[in-house]
Amino acid sequence: MTHLPPSEFTLAFRHEPATLTVLIGGELDYDTSDDLLDEVSRRLTAGRPSPADVRLDFSDLASIDSSGLTALLMIHRRTSALGATLHLDNRPAHLERLLHLTAVLDHLTAPPTGTEVHQAEEDDGPTGAGVI
């Protein structure tokens, strides 16, 4: 018997001391991507220490469109700003294909860096004159 993921959008959260895990089920699309982004953002800033790792589990993902991909990019931006590493776990073939076609897999799963700080130092240089 084949396991088919549910088509109704579902979110479930698991909080561990340094990890926030988000189980995503159903269709991540125009109608549901804001729900994912809003809930993850809220939980990242809910007053407890920020997690070191945010794990998005796609075991039950039925489909994803460009709005869903945009939500993943925004979640990456927010986790990186907190210094957390984003993980995309249990990716179904259709998500894997989308991530490779859009060439964002490495970007989404790269560990956070201090590029903003390094970029500012590089631009200012030792004299503060900036690099042209």
Side-chain angles (χ1 to χ4, degrees):
M1 180 171 201
T2 303
H3 171 70
L4 296 175
S7 61
E8 181 180 333
F9 183 67
T10 60
L11 291 175
F13 295 86
R14 189 171 52 237
H15 295 272
E16 297 167 16
T19 304
L20 170 64
T21 302
V22 184
L23 298 112
I24 302 166
E27 299 173 359
L28 181 55
D29 57 18
Y30 177 80
D31 293 325
T32 60
S33 58
D34 285 342
D35 295 336
L36 173 64
L37 180 58
D38 292 345
E39 276 299 310
V40 170
S41 297
R42 186 177 70 76
R43 289 170 188 266
L44 287 173
T45 58
R48 56 177 67 102
S50 298
D53 294 286
V54 175
R55 306 192 81 82
L56 303 182
D57 186 322
F58 295 100
S59 297
D60 290 329
L61 184 72
S63 65
I64 183 170
D65 69 4
S66 61
S67 296
L69 182 60
T70 298
L72 298 182
L73 290 164
M74 292 301 297
I75 290 169
H76 176 264
R77 178 180 288 178
R78 293 185 181 159
T79 56
S80 293
L82 295 172
T85 301
L86 182 64
H87 305 270
L88 307 179
D89 299 335
N90 302 310
R91 298 185 301 262
H94 59 276
L95 175 58
E96 194 74 28
R97 188 170 40 258
L98 177 64
L99 294 171
H100 285 288
L101 284 172
T102 57
V104 297
L105 178 61
D106 290 340
H107 172 72
L108 287 174
T109 58
T113 62
T115 54
E116 296 82 15
V117 174
H118 295 302
Q119 185 65 40
E121 291 170 357
E122 189 176 289
D123 289 345
D124 290 342
T127 64
V131 176
I132 300 179

